[in-house]
Amino acid sequence: MDPVSVGTTARIASSVARPIIARLFVKEGRGAGLVEEPVRVSRLVGLHGEKRRLSQLDLWKIARELVQTAVKANPYEPPLSSAELEPLSVALASTLGALGELDMDDVQAVRLGHRELARRLAAAHPGATRDLSADATYLHDSLLDLSCLHILHFFTQRSTFVAHAQVAQTRMLDETLRLLDAVVERIPRPGSADEEFERRYLAHLEHKYGKVNIFGLDLSSPDQARWPLDTAYLSLELTAQRRGIPASANRYRVEDALSDCSRAMLRGAAGSGKTTLLQWLAVSAAQNSLPEELAALRGRVPFMLPLRAVEAAPPAPERFLGAVGNALHGLQPERWADRVLSSGRGMVLIDGVDEVSESERPVVRRWLLDLVDLYPRTFFLVTSRPSAVGAHWLTDVDFTEFNLLPMNRSDVDRFVHRWHDAVSTTTVEPEEKRALEGFRDTLRGTLRQKQDLYRLATNPLMCALICALHRDRLTHLPERRMELYAAALNMLLVRRDKERAISVPEGLAPTEEAQVQLLQRIAYWLIRNGRSEAAQATAVRIIREKLPSMPQMAQPERAEDVFQYLLLRSGLLREPSVGTVDFIHRTFQDYLGAKAAVEDEDLDLLAESGRDDQWEDVIGLAVGHARDRERGQLLQKLVELGDRTSNPKLRRRYHLLAAVALEHATTLDPAIRAAVTFRATELIPPETAGDAEHLAMAGDIVLSLLPGPEQLSPRQARATVMTIARIGGEAALEQLARFRQVPEREVRQEIADSWPYFDARSFAQVIFSGLPMDDLTLSVASPEQAACLGTLRRIPQLSLKGQLLTDDVVATVASLNVHALSITPSSAVSVTLPSLARLDDLRRLTVKSCDALADLSPLAEAGAEELDLHRLPHGADLGFLAGAARLRTLRVSSAYTVGIPATALPQVTTLHMDAVLTPGGLPDLTGAFPSLTELTLRLTCQRYQMPVDVTPLRHACKLGTELILVGAGKIHGLDAVGDRVTVRREGRRVEEHRSGHGIFRRFRS
């Protein structure tokens, strides 16, 4: 029996288990009254005092009924044979009977939690399951866990269990029970066809996307070229595009950004990691291993839809699997996809809007709008290259738009380290492992010294290419993009196989030049037809048509053999699905296709295709491939097309393409270079973040064209600073220093936020020495940056991201007179904070990820007057703040209910709380916060349209209370609270506002 099936059988909703376990107890008083029908645990065997005893026979009957109920939950595939049911019932009764032997009171049991209590009971009778099969033991443990949940719930409602700290535990247990019910509602019916199919489908996704090809690991050995996704995935930084808010104020790591939205549009350049991110989400969801930041997405069923693989019209849900060639398509139960998406369990990951032709993108957009309208509870993530679709393409249906940022120096260092670690796993030779460590250290030093090479390495694909070439060429690296691509082709097509003495099929002579000729014909066909993959039959036909002109390679009748050789040995082609072929990355397709276009003298076609974003990289690379005369003709044509068009947007596009392509023009007629440069000045100064990103692609040439701050508006100055930062290097640092004294805060903040793009110490010495910091927030996200803090004079507002808050850093922060400190620890590991008692000057302390902290009590030592606590963990108690004598304003947010402190906090006068409201009702804040003058509560109802009684707030605040209810039903007690409480109800359609003059409604569009 598959353990998954046994586990499914053990998922019994609380409503089923409750009446069975309730017979262990007699009814008592209402206790804490935290559930609508609380379980009473009074006839529990073996406990003394208030409890009556059960006989061993009674206990066995209860255990047997639990077992039978679990088995009946899966009638299609019984988890156990009938002969195993009796021994399992005896074992469960024996384990539950150990309750009377535990040397602890009920309060101690509650503090343990249900899982630890179950472990203690099992340990008390270790021989109870000795004779059971593995499946029976698994079911025994699952039923024991469920029973302990209800047993602890009973303890919290005994008449003697009244301490405030234990009431908080009661709420936690009540919520756990409700979450268990919610999970049961979301999973397919046990034993159903849906459950069985999903098990197979998720396992298939994990196998299909669980590893990725990392360029250069060992592409001549496909088995070793696959890197485990959880190791390959590198959480990158992105910026949110929100109207009216500077991009610098909206920088996040991917997990943090997606934790706060249900629909997202992600833009990123080729090789920036978009597809890898989607694969990581799909695999993590399939494995149920998403990080805490994305806990809201756990339990979702992912649908991976690479649009390049969808040949027909965008598919309806029932064709999601078939459209991408998933072998399980024909086996899915009827209307399964619709049930998944309708229930809110779906996760739709749509990759590559840019790989659909421009004429078809409106069709894709209409398809997306229909899906969002039909399935509003589904999570959607859509990716594209930046220029493929306009800004706010999907914002009218609440898609949050993000741009992937280039890797900063810390990210590049981590990537280089991981790449070499991954290669190290493929060898057991100590000498080779030591050599890899040397390559790694040498490359990290080289990237710090050579700015042009570092700029290329800020793209994950290019960084992997550089790592591979650095190792292959024994640290000797080309420094220009075109030279890197040429070296990569030589490594893949020739050197790897020769050095490994891999034999060539008889009758074939695959020289490097011959292979490149064939590959570029396939690439150019894909580009001209607006495709990312082709049928293998098409690729074979292209090869057959080319072979007569290259008889030294093979005869035309060997076209199929040549294709198979290129597919298996070139390292550039792959088979995404049966019968299709594509390039390992679009970048190599563009490089080879551009070479073919130049050789075919399709210069007019190249220039005129500049209006299509899919040709952007092809045109730039074609300039690099072209000879002097051809290069001049192509750039001149781009200039002329831009000059002739009356469309300002298209004119800007042509001229920008020409300016960016200058990066690849090693030699060029000075008159043409001057014409391109002159047109580039019309693009300067940049106006937006998008302008800055595109201008920076042109490289150092832009630096000499950028004006100083005195000639720019604040908007232009900020975009200019972004351009300088993206270019990077010593010259850029000197240029950036010219902007240090601008009066506008948003420009100086952009300068401070540019720190990650430069060497940490050089930036601190050149920029921070003359940058007014009094109104800025300095973000520190790497150990190198943290080490520079001691060289600064004063930082009023500081943000620390990651595991940086050590005793030494606290001492440095104390010396800098920081009055506002923000801490964002990583959720990857549990963080132990050092003492914050030295931060005497601190007025405001913000913690973005409290759930990553092992202990919250050090936060009370800082003496801050304002404390903002975000993502408070489950069951957290605010009682640790009793010693925070200077605390006046407290802001708390949590995805759970927030425990009211057992010890009053009279020093707090302002309270803002964002949390979950259970059916137990509004918290009584009067005793815990007796001095409130301002109270704002934003509570999300645990159950949609849940009735809410606001009476407990009638004495909560002296001056008035604002209550925002999300998902509430009928509101009771409005008359009792009078004008002192303002209630606003938020839902999908209606807002309701109450004041002393009545209730006002407005309907949202």
Side-chain angles (χ1 to χ4, degrees):
M1 169 60 61
D2 190 336
V4 172
S5 180
V6 179
T8 302
T9 303
R11 297 171 184 162
I12 307 174
S14 296
S15 58
V16 178
R18 183 179 293 118
I20 299 173
I21 299 174
R23 291 205 298 273
L24 290 167
F25 320 117
V26 296
K27 291 188 178 294
E28 292 190 330
R30 291 188 57 81
L34 300 178
V35 293
E36 293 171 330
E37 296 180 3
V39 177
R40 307 303 175 195
V41 193
S42 281
R43 296 176 64 86
L44 193 59
V45 63
L47 291 181
H48 301 280
E50 301 174 352
K51 308 295 176 289
R52 299 180 182 177
R53 292 183 177 276
L54 290 174
S55 68
Q56 192 63 33
L57 178 61
D58 294 331
L59 192 58
W60 170 77
K61 289 179 179 178
I62 291 172
R64 184 180 62 174
E65 190 168 351
L66 276 173
V67 171
Q68 290 175 342
T69 302
V71 172
K72 290 176 182 177
N74 192 350
Y76 301 97
E77 188 178 3
L80 303 173
S81 66
S82 57
E84 292 180 283
L85 300 183
E86 183 67 19
L88 174 58
S89 301
V90 172
L92 183 59
S94 175
T95 307
L96 289 174
L99 282 165
E101 303 169 16
L102 292 179
D103 186 17
M104 65 179 69
D105 58 27
D106 52 356
V107 173
Q108 292 171 326
V110 169
R111 287 175 178 166
L112 282 179
H114 75 284
R115 295 191 187 281
E116 179 61 18
L117 177 60
R119 193 191 67 79
R120 296 279 184 97
L121 292 178
H125 279 221
T129 59
R130 182 180 298 122
D131 298 326
L132 299 182
S133 66
D135 289 343
T137 301
Y138 190 95
L139 188 55
H140 167 277
D141 295 344
S142 299
L143 291 173
L144 183 60
D145 275 355
L146 182 65
S147 301
C148 287
L149 260 179
H150 291 277
I151 290 168
L152 293 189
H153 200 70
F154 160 75
F155 286 154
T156 66
Q157 299 178 69
R158 292 176 57 215
S159 59
T160 58
F161 195 87
V162 296
H164 286 287
Q166 307 315 321
V167 171
Q169 291 280 4
T170 304
R171 290 177 176 151
M172 180 187 70
L173 287 167
D174 178 53
E175 185 171 344
T176 302
L177 287 171
R178 295 183 187 283
L179 287 174
L180 179 65
D181 289 339
V183 169
V184 172
E185 290 175 2
R186 292 182 65 178
I187 62 174
R189 181 170 57 86
S192 68
D194 283 7
E195 191 274 339
E196 172 62 21
F197 177 76
E198 282 184 25
R199 184 175 63 82
R200 293 186 63 189
Y201 173 66
L202 295 177
H204 172 68
L205 284 183
E206 183 180 350
H207 181 265
K208 182 174 183 178
Y209 296 115
K211 290 188 177 182
V212 293
N213 284 314
I214 299 299
F215 187 88
L217 264 182
D218 193 340
L219 290 173
S220 291
S221 178
D223 291 338
Q224 294 182 356
R226 301 277 286 168
W227 207 10
L229 186 60
D230 56 355
T231 304
Y233 174 69
L234 180 68
S235 176
L236 297 177
E237 193 176 25
L238 49 77
T239 180
Q241 298 300 307
R242 295 192 170 114
R243 290 186 175 97
I245 302 178
S248 59
N250 290 286
R251 285 176 172 150
Y252 310 90
R253 288 292 167 181
V254 167
E255 296 86 348
D256 290 324
L258 297 183
S259 68
D260 196 30
C261 64
S262 59
R263 300 168 192 165
M265 176 82 184
L266 180 63
R267 291 180 171 87
S272 59
K274 303 185 297 296
T275 300
T276 302
L277 167 61
L278 262 59
Q279 289 185 218
W280 175 79
L281 280 172
V283 171
S284 298
Q287 295 174 335
N288 198 27
S289 60
L290 286 163
E292 192 62 35
E293 298 95 323
L294 298 176
L297 297 181
R298 290 173 182 167
R300 303 263 184 162
V301 177
F303 295 91
M304 187 79 171
L305 298 174
L307 291 179
R308 61 183 170 275
V310 178
E311 296 186 4
E318 295 308 312
R319 291 189 56 252
F320 276 0
L321 303 191
V324 296
N326 192 304
L328 294 175
H329 167 61
L331 303 179
Q332 62 179 319
E334 186 178 359
R335 296 187 68 250
W336 165 74
D338 176 69
R339 286 192 293 276
V340 169
L341 298 173
S342 297
S343 67
R345 294 195 301 119
M347 176 191 291
V348 179
L349 307 172
I350 300 171
D351 189 27
V353 173
D354 57 287
E355 299 192 54
V356 175
S357 66
E358 192 168 2
S359 62
E360 294 176 347
R361 288 172 199 165
V363 177
V364 172
R365 186 176 185 276
R366 288 194 295 271
W367 168 66
L368 271 168
L369 296 181
D370 287 343
L371 288 176
V372 169
D373 183 61
L374 286 170
Y375 307 110
R377 298 165 62 191
T378 292
F379 175 83
F380 289 89
L381 179 58
V382 183
T383 73
S384 173
R385 289 195 191 185
S387 58
V389 294
H392 317 303
W393 195 57
L394 293 170
T395 51
D396 54 346
V397 284
D398 298 326
F399 272 73
T400 303
E401 299 197 349
F402 299 101
N403 282 343
L404 271 170
L405 295 174
M407 294 192 295
N408 59 37
R409 288 190 178 273
S410 177
D411 291 333
V412 171
D413 268 359
R414 283 193 298 153
F415 190 101
V416 170
H417 199 95
R418 284 188 176 190
W419 190 94
H420 288 84
D421 282 350
V423 177
S424 181
T425 63
T426 67
T427 180
V428 295
E429 296 295 331
E431 290 185 7
E432 191 168 352
K433 287 183 180 290
R434 285 193 295 272
L436 281 168
E437 292 177 4
F439 288 142
R440 179 195 64 204
D441 297 339
T442 302
L443 179 57
R444 291 169 71 176
T446 300
L447 291 175
R448 289 190 181 96
Q449 295 167 8
K450 298 185 177 182
Q451 183 61 30
D452 289 346
L453 199 59
Y454 162 72
R455 276 176 44 213
L456 292 175
T458 58
N459 175 295
L461 173 70
M462 292 303 297
C463 194
L465 174 58
I466 289 169
C467 290
L469 289 172
H470 184 262
R471 177 198 178 200
D472 188 72
R473 291 174 154 230
L474 301 178
T475 76
H476 298 292
L477 276 174
E479 296 184 21
R480 295 180 62 250
R481 186 185 300 268
M482 298 297 294
E483 295 169 354
L484 282 170
Y485 289 146
L489 290 179
N490 177 264
M491 176 180 69
L492 294 172
L493 300 179
V494 181
R495 293 186 58 187
R496 288 297 177 94
D497 282 1
K498 278 187 177 180
E499 291 170 6
R500 289 161 177 75
I502 295 176
S503 60
V504 176
E506 186 177 351
L508 301 185
T511 64
E512 178 182 3
E513 182 181 358
Q515 293 181 73
V516 169
Q517 285 289 324
L518 294 175
L519 289 167
Q520 68 188 40
R521 303 321 302 177
I522 297 172
Y524 196 31
W525 183 91
L526 290 169
I527 292 169
R528 282 188 287 106
N529 288 276
R531 302 287 294 278
S532 294
E533 62 181 43
Q536 292 188 9
T538 300
V540 171
R541 175 182 59 78
I542 293 170
I543 293 172
R544 184 179 296 113
E545 292 172 354
K546 183 67 178 175
L547 284 178
S549 64
M550 43 196 313
Q552 73 282 4
M553 173 71 175
Q555 296 301 310
E557 59 268 18
R558 298 289 303 276
E560 178 70 38
D561 295 335
V562 172
F563 169 75
Q564 289 299 326
Y565 178 85
L566 292 175
L567 180 64
L568 296 175
R569 304 304 320 155
S570 73
L572 287 169
L573 296 180
R574 64 181 180 181
E575 187 177 27
S577 59
V578 177
T580 64
V581 63
D582 69 355
F583 283 83
I584 60 169
H585 199 277
R586 178 66 180 265
T587 296
F588 291 103
Q589 175 184 309
D590 291 346
Y591 174 84
L592 290 163
K595 190 172 187 295
V598 170
E599 291 180 0
D600 287 354
E601 298 184 346
D602 285 344
L603 302 182
D604 287 346
L605 174 62
L606 282 167
E608 290 166 0
S609 298
R611 65 176 59 244
D612 187 343
D613 60 89
Q614 293 198 36
W615 287 73
E616 285 180 0
D617 289 345
V618 179
I619 292 170
L621 293 166
V623 169
H625 283 299
R627 291 166 293 191
D628 288 355
R629 181 182 58 81
E630 297 164 333
R631 183 179 297 133
Q633 290 177 356
L634 178 52
L635 290 172
Q636 184 68 38
K637 185 71 174 178
L638 288 171
V639 169
E640 292 173 355
L641 287 171
D643 290 344
R644 288 203 301 261
T645 182
S646 59
N647 184 332
K649 184 177 179 181
L650 194 54
R651 179 169 59 253
R652 185 178 182 86
R653 180 179 184 81
Y654 279 125
H655 289 167
L656 183 59
L657 278 173
V660 171
L662 283 182
E663 174 194 5
H664 303 298
T666 50
T667 58
L668 184 65
D669 184 329
I672 296 176
R673 185 181 295 276
V676 174
T677 303
F678 176 75
R679 301 313 190 281
T681 61
E682 298 179 356
L683 310 175
I684 294 171
E687 297 280 347
T688 67
D691 292 346
E693 297 285 353
H694 281 95
L695 268 180
M697 293 172 63
D700 290 343
I701 183 179
V702 173
L703 289 176
S704 61
L705 304 176
L706 291 172
E710 61 279 353
Q711 305 172 44
L712 303 174
S713 69
R715 174 185 173 91
Q716 292 169 337
R718 191 179 71 83
T720 300
V721 166
M722 293 181 66
T723 304
I724 296 170
R726 301 307 185 271
I727 293 173
E730 292 184 10
L733 198 58
E734 295 174 5
Q735 187 95 326
L736 199 62
R738 300 168 59 192
F739 288 77
R740 292 178 301 181
Q741 295 295 325
V742 297
E744 291 80 16
R745 179 197 171 277
E746 63 269 22
V747 179
R748 288 183 285 108
Q749 183 64 61
E750 190 66 51
I751 295 174
D753 289 339
S754 300
W755 197 4
Y757 295 99
F758 297 88
D759 175 74
R761 188 161 296 278
S762 298
F763 189 93
Q765 292 171 349
V766 174
I767 301 298
F768 289 142
S769 59
L771 182 68
M773 300 283 290
D774 286 353
D775 56 347
L776 304 184
T777 298
L778 181 62
S779 294
V780 178
S782 72
E784 293 79 10
Q785 292 177 336
C788 296
L789 289 177
T791 66
L792 307 183
R793 290 176 296 179
R794 183 170 180 269
I795 309 173
Q797 301 175 85
L798 179 65
S799 172
L800 296 174
K801 298 181 179 180
Q803 323 299 79
L804 296 177
L805 200 60
T806 62
D807 285 318
D808 291 341
V809 172
V810 170
T812 302
V813 170
S815 68
L816 292 171
N817 305 117
V818 175
H819 64 71
L821 176 63
S822 173
I823 305 170
T824 308
S826 168
S827 296
V829 295
S830 182
V831 180
T832 300
L833 289 178
S835 172
L836 305 181
R838 284 175 286 186
L839 302 182
D840 296 331
D841 296 321
L842 202 61
R843 294 202 297 271
R844 178 169 182 171
L845 176 60
T846 301
V847 184
K848 296 291 183 67
S849 303
C850 291
D851 50 359
L853 300 181
D855 181 13
L856 298 176
S857 59
L859 301 177
E861 301 174 358
E865 298 173 10
E866 298 182 35
L867 183 60
D868 291 9
L869 304 177
H870 299 266
R871 287 206 344 227
L872 211 64
H874 193 291
D877 184 358
L878 299 175
F880 72 93
L881 295 174
R886 293 169 55 188
L887 182 62
R888 296 294 179 268
T889 300
L890 177 61
R891 298 179 179 88
V892 177
S893 67
S894 176
Y896 311 98
T897 56
V898 177
I900 304 303
T903 303
L905 303 178
Q907 73 272 38
V908 176
T909 58
T910 300
L911 176 64
H912 297 260
M913 185 177 291
D914 187 341
V916 173
L917 179 62
T918 69
L922 286 166
D924 184 1
L925 302 172
T926 308
F929 301 98
S931 306
L932 288 182
T933 58
E934 180 183 337
L935 172 62
T936 301
L937 297 175
R938 187 181 188 277
L939 302 175
T940 301
C941 295
Q942 194 177 58
R943 293 179 178 175
Y944 185 64
Q945 291 295 304
M946 187 177 78
V948 178
D949 183 3
V950 299
T951 306
L953 297 180
R954 60 188 181 279
H955 301 306
C957 183
K958 294 182 174 63
L959 299 182
T961 298
E962 181 179 19
L963 173 64
I964 304 168
L965 294 170
V966 181
K970 188 172 182 180
I971 299 176
H972 303 282
L974 288 171
D975 293 336
V977 299
D979 296 343
R980 291 160 58 100
V981 178
T982 299
V983 180
R984 190 167 79 245
R985 184 168 62 187
E986 293 184 357
R988 186 176 302 163
R989 288 289 180 184
V990 183
E991 281 191 3
E992 182 174 287
H993 178 78
R994 175 181 173 82
S995 71
H997 302 287
I999 297 177
F1000 305 91
R1001 293 189 176 201
R1002 69 181 177 88
F1003 287 83
R1004 293 178 171 178
S1005 59

